[in-house]
Structure formats: structure tokens, C-alpha cells
Amino acid sequence: QVQLVESGGGWVQPGGSLRLSCEASGSIRRYTMGWYRQAPGKQRELVALVPSGRGPHYADSVKGRFSISRDDDKNAAYLQMNTLKPEDTAVYYCNARYPFYNVWGQGTQVTVSS
């Protein structure tokens, strides 16, 4: 299994932007890469995913504001987050999956507040 490490989280004011990175210890070329988030007291939810060689899918709550991308040559995935809202505050997790394969990163905190 690959190991995933997220970075780029932090504090930002409403309307601001952040870019999250997910770096893998090995090739991700075969895997569907995704970003999920979990706020305190809530279940983990899908934010965005992008299958290998195919187009992305987004949750309705972030559509038009967030953009997922991948760079298989760098073994990395990214989440560009624009027009951030307080409701986006959560721990964000990177995920790699394939049939009988499912790996999570440790998470990175994103806080959106005035």
C-alpha cells in the first residue's frame, strides 16, 4: 500500500482560498483519488474524486468552488478551494482506492472564520 500525506491546511477568512496537497509514497496511477472531510459531530463526507484517466466528480456543496486534480508523474493529488465558507471548516482527508484497496491520509485541518 502507498502512504498518503496531506498538507496545505490552515486558517483562512471567508471568501479566501487554500490549496491542499496529497503526496503518495508510490505510484497512484491506477487509483481513484479523492478528498473527503469531517466536521466535529458530523459524518465524513465526500468532497471530490477523480478516477484515473477520467473526469472529476464533486459534491453539490462545493461544485463551482473547489477543483480536484492529479499529477501521476509526481504521485500527487490536489484540492484547490476557492470562495471558502465557514461551513467548509473540517479535517480534510486524502484517499486512494481501487478494488480491494483503500488508503487514507492522516488529515489536515481547514478552518474558515472571521
Side-chain angles (χ1 to χ4, degrees):
Q1 290 187 326
V2 299
Q3 290 182 296
L4 305 176
V5 179
E6 302 97 330
S7 63
W11 173 84
V12 67
Q13 293 184 333
S17 298
L18 285 173
R19 184 171 121 113
L20 305 183
S21 296
C22 173
E23 298 182 338
S25 61
S27 176
I28 63 168
R29 197 171 302 275
R30 292 181 177 269
Y31 305 135
T32 293
M33 301 300 296
W35 288 94
Y36 295 73
R37 67 187 182 188
Q38 187 168 24
K42 304 202 70 175
Q43 294 185 4
R44 188 173 299 187
E45 64 176 351
L46 173 69
V47 175
L49 58 83
V50 55
S52 179
R54 304 184 71 179
H57 171 82
Y58 299 96
D60 287 343
S61 60
V62 307
K63 197 170 298 181
R65 299 189 297 122
F66 291 11
S67 179
I68 188 172
S69 61
R70 61 190 295 155
D71 189 337
D72 291 345
D73 291 334
K74 297 184 183 298
N75 296 332
Y78 310 95
L79 185 68
Q80 178 67 46
M81 304 185 293
N82 300 323
T83 319
L84 283 160
K85 305 175 181 179
E87 309 95 274
D88 296 319
T89 296
V91 177
Y92 284 71
Y93 297 91
C94 182
N95 173 257
R97 67 178 61 196
Y98 197 72
F100 301 100
Y101 190 94
N102 191 20
V103 178
W104 296 89
Q106 85 290 340
T108 185
Q109 176 71 48
V110 172
T111 302
V112 185
S113 68
S114 302

